[in-house]
Each structure stands twice: as C-alpha cells, then as structure tokens.
Amino acid sequence: MAAVAVATRGTAPPSLSRRLHEWGLALAVVGAAIGFFVGYALGSLAIGDGDNSLGSNAGILLGYSLSAVGFLAGMGFFNYPIARLLGRPVPTADDEAYLHGEGGGLARYFRLTTDHKVIGMQYVVAILAFLFVGGLGAMFIRTELLTPTPTTATAESYLTLVGLHSTLMIFMASAAIIGPFGNYFVPIMIGARNMAFPRLEALTFWLLPPAGLILLSTVFLGGFTTGWTGYAPLADQNVLGMDSYLIAFSLIGLSIMLSGLNMIVTVITLRAPGMRFTRLPIFVWGVFLTSFLGLLAAPALLGAIAMETFDRTYLATLFVPAGGGSPYLWENLFWFFGHPEVYIFILPAFGLIMEMLPVFTRRPLWGYRVAIGGLVGVTVLSFMVWQHHLFVSGLAPALRPFYMFSTEAISVPTGLIYLVALGSLWRARTRFSTPMLFIGAFLFNFLIGGFTGVFLSDVPSDFTLHGGYFVQAHFHYTIMGAEVFALMAGLVYYLPKMTGRTMDTRLTRFQFWAVFLSFNGTFLSLLSVGILGMPRRVISYAQYLQPLNVSATVFAYLLGGSMLLFLGILIWNVVIRPVPAKENPWESLGVEWHLPTPTPVYNFDTVPTKWSLPYEYDTGRVAADVGHPAPALGGATP
Amino acid sequence: MTEAVPTSVRAPGDENLPRVRSLIVGSRMMLAANTTLQLTFLFAYLYLRANNFGGMWRPGVGTPAPGITLMILLVPVVTTLVLGAAVGVAGRGDRRALTRILGPALLLGAATIAVRVYQLYHTGYDLAAGTYVDIAVIWLAVILAEFVLGALWMVSIYNSHVRQTVVASHSHVRALFEYWLYATVVAVVVSGLIQFVT
C-alpha cells in the first residue's frame, strides 16, 4: 500500500497564491462588488441609448452576471483554467493536496476545497440557510392570510413574498438531498477517492450563495410578481426585480446541470473494481438517475432564460404576443425543465429512504432490481409529462389525453418504488429509531402527495383545481412532506458519520412528532381551502375561508417552530455542545459506516475490490472490506 | 463540523485514477446537455414559425446577407477536418507533428469566430423585425459562444502542448475534436434552417 502520511509533506512557507486562497471568501465578496459595478456600467452604456428601462435592465443583468463571475474569480475558480489557457505548469501534487484540504481545519469550509466530504458539509449549511430564509417567507405569507383582506402587505409585495419563498425553496429542494448526501457519500459508496471533477463539484456549490443573494436583492429592485415560474408576458412587464430572478435561476440551473454531469461521470468511471452497476447502493442509483434529469432538463431552463433576457434588454418579443411572440412558449420551455425538476427533488429522496430502510428493518432491501426499474421508469417518463401544466393554458385539446395518460402512467413506476418500501417493511422487526420515524412520515406524506397528484393529472378535475390551494398543498406534500422529511431523516442518520456527533434522541423524537403533526395540520387545512376554491397567489380571499386559513396559519407557526427546533438541536448537539457519536450507531452494513470517523481525507487506505450489496442483513456481511477494523455491531440504537 | 482529520493517506499510488475516461465521458455528457439546449431553440423556432402570431414571424422583406455564406459554413468544417487529422497524429504520439497541426487549427478556430461574428451582425434585419430575427439572432449568438469556448479549449491544449506543461494526449485532442464537430454540425444545420425555413 502506497500510503504516505500527511506529516511527511513539505514545510515550505505558503506561497502568495495560497495565502490569497485562504482569503477566498473575502476576495469573492470584493470580486462580486467590482463585477456588479463594472457590469452595470457596461450594460447601461451599451444598451441604454434612448431607452432608460432597457438600459437599466441590461445594466442589472450584466451587473449581476459579472458579480457572479467576480465572486467565483475571488474564490479562485479561474486560476486553473487560466493557467491551462496560458500553458502554465499544472498544479503540483502539493497544490492539489492543499486544495483538497489535506491539512484539515475549519478554514477549508470557507474556501474553494475539492474534497467531496467538505463540499457535502458546505451543502448542509447552505441548504439549511435556504430553508430558514424560505421558511421565514412562509411565516410572513401565513401571517398575511390570517385575515381575508390585506393587512401588512400590498398585493404586489405579497406576490414578491410568494415568489421569493417559492423560488428560494425550489433552489433549496434542487440540492437538498444530492448536495449534502450525494456529494459526501456517493464517492465512498462506489469506492472512489473523490469525484471525477472535484473543481466542478466545488463550483456547483459556490454558485448557490451568489444565486441566493442575487435573488434576495430583488426586494431592493421592486421585487417580481411572477412567482417561481416566471411566466411571460408578466415577466416582460416586470420591474428590475425580475432580473434578479432570471440571473439567480440561471446560476441554479447551471449548478444543477454541472452537478448532474459530475455525478454521472463519477459513477460511470470511478467505480472501484468489482463495484458493478448491479451492486450500486440504491441511493447511488437515485442520485445517478436524477443526475440525468438535471443534465438534460436544466439546459432548457437556461435557454428559456436567455430568451427572456433578450426580451428584457434588446426589445425582442419572443414571449410578447403584440410582437409575434407567445407566452405559451415560455410555459412549454419552463415546464420542460420544471417537471423533471420535481423528480430531481424526489428521486434522490426515494433513494435515500430506501438506503436507510434496510438498516432499520434489519433485512435486505426487498426488490432491489424492482426499485431500480421504478427509478428508471420515473426518470424516463418525467420528460413526457410537462404539458399537464398547460391543460388550462390553451393546450390543443387533442394533446390533452396523451399528457393525461403519460402523467398518470408515472404513478406506475412510482408505485413500484413504494412497493419496494412496503415490501421491506412487511413482517420486519423494525427499529423505530428517529430516522425510521421520518421514513414512515415520508411514506405517509408522499402517499397523500401522490394521490392528490392523480387528480391534477386528470384533465376534468385539473380544470376545477388548477391555480388553487389544492395544487399548492399537493406539491408541499411531495416536496416538504417527502423531500424535506427525507432531508431530516438523512441528517439525523448521517450526521454521526459526517461530523462524529449526534443529535439528541429524545429531542429529535419530540421534534419529529411536532413537525409531522403540524405539517399535516397545515397542509390538510390548505387542501381543504383548495377544494373550497381558494386561489393561489392572491392576497385576499372569501370570508367563509377564514377559519380554515386561521387553522393553517396556527399549524404553520407550529411547523415553523418545530423546524427551528430541529435546527436548534442540530446546532446545539453538533456545534455548541457536541455530543460524540458511536462509530456505527445504526449498525449499518454500508461501506461508509465501516470507515473511521471522521472519514479519512482520501476515504480508503486501499480501494476495496470485493463488493456485495450493502443490505445483506440476513448474513451480516459488510458491503466491502475497507481495510479498517470494523466498528463493532451491537451498539445501542439511539 | 469535522475539525480534526486523522492521519490520512496521500492520493492514489495504489490505483490509477481513470481521468482520461472521465474526460471523454464528461465531454460527451456535456454534448448531451448541449443537445437539450439546441432542441430548446429548435422548438422555439418552429413553434413561433408554425403559429406566426399576428403575422409577426417575418414582417420585413430583408434577406440575410448571402455574401460570405460559403465561408461561414466552410471555415468550421475545415477546422473540424484539421482537428480530425490532429486526432490521428496524437494517436501516433508524434509531438512535433501535433504542434505543426494544432497551430493551423487554432488559426482556423479564430477565423470561425470571425465569420460567425460577421454573420451575427449581418442578418439583414434589425431586432424589431419580428420573432424570426429574435430567435435566429439569439440562436446564432449561442452557437458563437460555443465556438468561442471551443477555441479557448484549443488555445489551452496548444499552449500547454507547446510549452510542454501538459502534452496533448490523444484523448484531449479527441474530446476537442468531438466537441468542435458537434458545434459545426449544429452550426451548419441551424444556418440551413434559418436560411430555408423562413
């Protein structure tokens, strides 16, 4: 084994570039500011002739674009490509090791680091931050809806609030599972030392902060009234705040696409010897297939945003009927991205749930290949359903049956995945640890989300329910009730591995019941107001809907409180008063749990070559021999 | 967060990371994503043309300047052929021959960008002349951006090769060739579409 200890490496003083690198985040902020002002000036000057609004739009759009470029330049993302462009020497092994964060320390979490585990942790923080800010938006929305008439907000500011909440949450949901757990565990699970393109992986993360901040800055530019879907022609008519939405969403689209590319290449090319596709952990399958969705769907969003940008700066009329354009074009392009996007949310969550399930049922995953078939089926069909969002938007009637049936057909592979989960639970001696409680809640919530989705795929009922709170509650059941519950399950389950610290069992159990009950209280109320005809994105509503809205708001406050409690437990037990975790608290057979904690910088001393499925709880065989003494099986289950 | 890192091993030594394969697979995946982008514009182009909302698809009477059409089409094709030859040379491991062939490829790449910029600014219309021009110009701009990226890639391979910091491998050149071939095919098809499906 060619193992060289870190301590043996050079002790030369750090070079100027490394010192600058340490200040990456500060330089990034400076770069962003410079980029914005340069871009704004250039954009305004280049296009502002005779039309101030166009000039301002161009200035803001170019300003934001260059601020993102400046941010990334400050972080050091262009050092490598520029060096290659100029033919300068490639980084030495020491440089790469430094970039990988071999020396350890907290500083690597605040700079460009290429270690997939550090990036996974960075994602944890970013996702929770997005969830927190987006959640605050939800609280404001529910507060406003306590009364049938406007109290604290105007119609426009309410729409901006709704748009900010929804767009931030969509950003969060796009990476909620793949970001933290995919980046951290996929390389380990396939026996790789790192991702195929580590710099690209870091880039996908560092695109998120500028995207979030640019989106939030919309409040200084008049906001945007389109919601997260950015529908034209309203988007063409919106004030400068719309430009924030366009640039922020394009950064997120880029991140989704590049993340997908990196995951696909990693799984295809970096699997350890003996790790066949038929032995991939089901979570890796979920991430792998989702990555195709991201890779192939996000470019449609980027293309559509480029067109909208053109409309807003160059007097193009691609989405403006008066100039020969069509708002339906935006709807088509947006939803060609948008509907696969919802499976980008849920497929990795399914993978994560199925990955954890055997650990708590103490038996192999029932129907491993059926589960893969289900995931593949959802992946393929998800590209064929987007027009169900246009049932009431003037879609040619002859096309409706196809999209109705394709949408309903997707419930078949989804049902297969569900069947695998239920089959794994059947007659199992399930350990109801906290993650298992979240898994159960995931299955319950997604069942409601799935059933309500069937009504929306059906043309006649969609005509009645479209644009109302029924739809809103439906997708909250799938995104929050399923994906965010999977995120919480994953955090409780994997934080002991990721941090060496664990969350308090009693508090997380209490938090689980609080979040489960308050979530269902909130969204069952909203399903009901939806059936009673309350439209979405409208600040006022009929008087008779107030009791249910009050109910939804009270439960929403409890929901917000329980989410804060989760955050509080996490911060308290992991950061402020760390509670050390056992090496393998859940007695998992997965390879990731049989490495030391914290996981070594390059994961394995020697890459394992003999692999089996990680669910052989009937034989007790670990997925692979990783060369470390295996943590004892038999510790108490928290 | 993990503050302490245990004594760890230096990367690899006991294995050879298959970077070459990652480069090729990654490059092809990028082309797959690119295909969705091109299909997005194709959908928009045909959608707007088929519907011709308000008769505003092509209200003007101008005609795209045909003067250098042949060059616009031929220069990237010739560049592709030269890069194809470079792939063969790189496969034989002849470094000097590769240097000699990458130089002209680079010049042709620059020429490609020049003619595409000319095309972008000589469509024969102004931007307020209907959605035909809108979608055509933005599509051509995207293709131009792709050629610029390809040319930058070419520069990096050439400079690294000439300065011997990274010797251009068969895989490097092949990935670049595939990318440029893809962009050329798209450019030719789109130019034909814009010229004939009006």
Side-chain angles (χ1 to χ4, degrees):
Chain A
M1 183 171 63
V4 181
V6 175
T8 61
R9 235 144 343 93
T11 54
S15 63
L16 177 64
S17 68
R18 281 197 197 175
R19 284 184 187 164
L20 287 175
H21 199 80
E22 290 291 349
W23 288 92
L25 201 50
L27 290 175
V29 173
V30 174
I34 294 172
F36 179 81
F37 288 116
V38 170
Y40 186 78
L42 285 176
S44 305
L45 287 173
I47 307 180
D49 294 346
D51 190 323
N52 286 335
S53 69
L54 285 180
S56 300
N57 279 334
I60 291 291
L61 283 164
L62 201 58
Y64 277 141
S65 303
L66 290 191
S67 74
V69 170
F71 182 88
L72 297 175
M75 291 297 299
F77 277 99
F78 297 120
N79 297 358
Y80 181 76
I82 288 175
R84 291 298 307 273
L85 201 61
L86 300 176
R88 292 174 56 193
V90 292
T92 62
D94 271 354
D95 291 334
E96 290 291 358
Y98 167 79
L99 204 61
H100 195 85
E102 237 187 35
L106 278 176
R108 64 204 161 122
Y109 292 94
F110 299 95
R111 61 173 171 85
L112 193 175
T113 310
T114 53
D115 183 352
H116 66 96
K117 297 179 291 295
V118 173
I119 295 168
M121 287 303 298
Q122 289 172 329
Y123 264 109
V124 170
V125 176
I127 293 300
L128 291 176
F130 274 63
L131 199 56
F132 177 74
V133 179
L136 279 182
M139 294 301 108
F140 285 131
I141 292 169
R142 286 315 317 165
T143 302
E144 176 55 53
L145 293 177
L146 271 171
T147 57
T149 51
T151 50
T152 55
T154 62
E156 285 78 16
S157 60
Y158 176 79
L159 282 173
T160 291
L161 190 58
V162 171
L164 269 178
H165 160 72
S166 53
T167 313
L168 269 176
M169 288 304 202
I170 291 294
F171 289 3
M172 178 278 298
S174 304
I177 304 295
I178 287 191
F181 308 119
N183 282 293
Y184 198 107
F185 290 108
V186 164
I188 298 172
M189 287 176 168
I190 65 170
R193 294 191 185 281
N194 206 353
M195 299 287 283
F197 304 113
R199 285 180 178 79
L200 203 61
E201 185 192 18
L203 177 66
T204 63
F205 168 76
W206 284 106
L207 284 169
L208 300 187
L213 292 173
I214 287 172
L215 184 73
L216 287 173
S217 72
T218 190
V219 295
F220 303 111
L221 299 169
F224 62 99
T225 54
T226 60
W228 82 280
T229 55
Y231 270 13
L234 192 54
D236 286 69
Q237 299 155 355
N238 254 235
V239 292
L240 293 173
M242 194 71 216
D243 299 327
S244 308
Y245 165 91
L246 291 173
I247 296 298
F249 222 145
S250 60
L251 294 177
I252 291 295
L254 197 61
S255 174
I256 292 171
M257 185 183 81
L258 295 177
S259 169
L261 183 145
N262 205 4
M263 286 289 179
I264 291 169
V265 178
T266 301
V267 174
I268 289 177
T269 66
L270 294 189
R271 278 171 295 119
M275 171 50 91
R276 300 181 202 148
F277 269 98
T278 49
R279 289 176 184 165
L280 284 181
I282 199 71
F283 176 60
V284 178
W285 268 109
V287 170
F288 181 61
L289 292 167
T290 305
S291 298
F292 281 98
L293 295 181
L295 180 78
L296 298 177
L301 173 76
L302 296 175
I305 287 179
M307 292 179 207
E308 180 59 49
T309 304
F310 217 54
D311 267 16
R312 286 179 63 80
T313 53
Y314 277 96
L315 274 182
T317 53
L318 293 161
F319 304 122
V320 182
S326 169
Y328 300 137
L329 177 61
W330 171 271
E331 290 189 32
N332 274 291
L333 298 180
F334 181 84
W335 285 113
F336 185 80
F337 154 78
H339 207 82
E341 166 82 340
V342 300
Y343 293 103
I344 290 174
F345 304 158
I346 203 66
L347 278 187
F350 269 130
L352 185 62
I353 291 299
M354 287 190 286
E355 185 68 31
M356 292 186 285
L357 205 47
V359 179
F360 297 103
T361 58
R362 310 309 295 172
R363 56 191 294 194
L365 183 70
W366 186 85
Y368 169 78
R369 293 189 183 212
V370 176
I372 295 171
L375 292 169
V376 171
V378 173
T379 303
V380 173
L381 282 174
S382 69
F383 282 110
M384 302 178 189
V385 299
W386 85 92
Q387 289 220 353
H388 70 234
H389 291 278
L390 280 74
F391 280 156
V392 297
S393 302
L395 173 68
L399 287 173
R400 285 180 189 146
F402 172 80
Y403 286 100
M404 182 172 82
F405 287 123
S406 64
T407 308
E408 288 174 352
I410 214 165
S411 59
V412 175
T414 311
L416 290 180
I417 297 170
Y418 225 82
L419 189 67
V420 169
L422 295 182
S424 298
L425 282 165
W426 182 251
R427 291 183 174 173
R429 292 180 184 175
T430 305
R431 295 176 178 176
F432 286 99
S433 305
T434 313
M436 186 61 218
L437 295 177
F438 278 108
I439 293 170
F442 172 99
L443 294 172
F444 177 84
N445 293 338
F446 191 79
L447 193 64
I448 296 180
F451 275 148
T452 49
V454 174
F455 290 100
L456 297 171
S457 68
D458 190 63
V459 174
S461 51
D462 186 63
F463 264 69
T464 306
L465 297 166
H466 191 93
Y469 263 81
F470 187 87
V471 181
Q472 191 259 22
H474 152 71
F475 68 70
H476 277 81
Y477 260 104
T478 56
I479 296 173
M480 181 165 190
E483 192 193 11
V484 175
F485 272 62
L487 170 69
M488 290 189 282
L491 286 172
V492 177
Y493 179 79
Y494 272 127
L495 276 179
K497 186 72 227 171
M498 297 167 88
T499 65
R501 293 152 195 188
T502 190
M503 292 170 72
D504 184 275
T505 305
R506 275 183 302 178
L507 280 174
T508 48
R509 279 175 181 274
F510 171 76
Q511 187 272 341
F512 163 77
W513 286 110
V515 76
F516 177 66
L517 294 174
S518 57
F519 169 81
N520 278 286
T522 305
F523 290 101
L524 283 175
S525 302
L526 293 178
L527 270 179
S528 306
V529 294
I531 291 170
L532 291 172
M534 179 165 162
R536 293 160 65 190
R537 297 172 181 154
V538 180
I539 193 170
S540 53
Y541 56 84
Q543 187 72 45
Y544 73 96
L545 294 169
Q546 190 175 20
L548 278 170
N549 270 288
V550 170
S551 158
T553 299
V554 171
F555 277 116
Y557 288 157
L558 292 173
L559 178 58
S562 60
M563 292 300 292
L564 273 180
L565 178 61
F566 186 88
L567 195 62
I569 300 169
L570 193 153
I571 293 171
W572 187 258
N573 286 159
V574 173
V575 182
I576 300 173
R577 289 281 172 85
V579 178
K582 293 187 177 72
E583 281 278 294
N584 185 4
W586 319 108
E587 302 181 334
S588 167
L589 296 178
V591 68
E592 69 276 18
W593 288 101
H594 292 265
L595 294 169
T597 302
T599 311
V601 175
Y602 291 105
N603 301 344
F604 306 97
D605 279 359
T606 308
V607 169
T609 54
K610 290 180 181 173
W611 294 82
S612 59
L613 272 176
Y615 316 116
E616 299 196 0
Y617 288 92
D618 44 354
T619 63
R621 185 164 60 181
V622 179
D625 179 9
V626 293
H628 291 283
L633 295 179
T637 306
Chain B
M1 290 184 202
T2 44
E3 290 168 24
V5 176
T7 303
S8 57
V9 292
R10 185 74 179 271
D14 55 350
E15 81 225 44
N16 179 23
L17 287 178
R19 289 186 179 174
V20 168
R21 194 158 167 243
S22 295
L23 173 72
I24 294 289
V25 175
S27 167
R28 288 177 184 167
M29 286 299 145
M30 203 65 220
L31 296 184
N34 204 335
T35 302
T36 308
L37 184 68
Q38 302 305 331
L39 289 175
T40 300
F41 286 105
L42 179 66
F43 180 87
Y45 190 91
L46 297 178
Y47 185 88
L48 292 167
R49 182 188 182 280
N51 286 291
N52 191 15
F53 296 102
M56 292 290 285
W57 166 248
R58 193 173 177 173
V61 291
T63 305
I68 61 163
T69 302
L70 203 60
M71 275 186 71
I72 289 167
L73 293 177
L74 280 184
V75 174
V77 174
V78 174
T79 314
T80 309
L81 293 175
V82 173
L83 283 174
V87 175
V89 172
R92 290 199 301 275
D94 187 342
R95 282 178 55 185
R96 286 190 178 178
L98 187 58
T99 308
R100 283 197 298 273
I101 205 164
L102 280 177
L106 197 54
L107 290 177
L108 283 165
T112 301
I113 292 169
V115 294
R116 303 295 302 188
V117 169
Y118 180 87
Q119 183 191 26
L120 196 60
Y121 285 94
H122 293 80
T123 56
Y125 293 99
D126 66 45
L127 284 168
T131 46
Y132 165 74
V133 182
D134 294 345
I135 190 69
V137 167
I138 190 170
W139 202 353
L140 292 175
V142 166
I143 293 169
L144 170 64
E146 302 207 355
F147 276 124
V148 169
L149 284 176
L152 290 174
W153 192 358
M154 226 185 284
V155 170
S156 77
I157 288 180
Y158 179 79
N159 274 344
S160 303
H161 184 75
V162 169
R163 296 182 180 207
Q164 298 187 14
T165 49
V166 178
V167 176
S169 69
H170 179 247
S171 304
H172 277 111
V173 183
R174 196 172 110 205
L176 171 64
F177 164 72
E178 287 178 1
Y179 176 87
W180 196 274
L181 173 66
Y182 179 93
T184 301
V185 169
V186 168
V188 170
V189 170
V190 171
S191 293
L193 186 83
I194 288 171
Q195 194 70 33
F196 299 114
V197 185
T198 57

